[in-house]
Amino acid sequence: MTEMEFITIVQNMLMLVMEIIAPVLLISVVVGLAISIFQSVTQIQESTLTFVPKIFVALLTLMLLMPLMLQFFITSVNNLFAQLGNV
């Protein structure tokens, strides 16, 4: 295995991780932004108000998207193992 092949495999795996976790992060950011706007409008300065809804929404997103994430992960790992057979 050459250095370039190794770098390509690592890059593909890092992209896989980012693609899998992106929906959870994006939804958490949107919920955090909505709560921040709500806090600004109502002038509530409670710092713990943002954590509970973001955690709840992140867990809910994980539960709903886990089958799709798992299928995407399995497909990507199978492709990786198929590429390793050529090396």
Side-chain angles (χ1 to χ4, degrees):
M1 176 182 298
T2 66
E3 184 177 317
M4 197 61 173
E5 290 170 339
F6 177 75
I7 291 173
T8 303
I9 290 171
V10 171
Q11 285 176 341
N12 289 340
M13 289 299 104
L14 289 174
M15 285 299 297
L16 172 66
V17 169
M18 290 191 305
E19 290 171 353
I20 287 176
I21 202 65
V24 177
L25 289 176
L26 289 175
I27 291 174
S28 295
V29 166
V30 169
V31 168
L33 181 64
I35 292 171
S36 296
I37 291 171
F38 174 75
Q39 283 181 321
S40 296
V41 169
T42 59
Q43 295 183 355
I44 297 173
Q45 297 301 323
E46 182 64 33
S47 62
T48 59
L49 183 64
T50 59
F51 293 118
V52 174
K54 282 178 20 179
I55 291 172
F56 178 73
V57 169
L59 290 175
L60 184 66
T61 304
L62 279 173
M63 287 190 313
L64 293 174
L65 295 180
M66 189 58 69
L68 296 173
M69 291 176 175
L70 187 61
Q71 184 62 39
F72 185 70
F73 179 76
I74 290 171
T75 304
S76 298
V77 170
N78 285 339
N79 289 340
L80 172 67
F81 286 150
Q83 289 175 357
L84 287 178
N86 296 333
V87 175

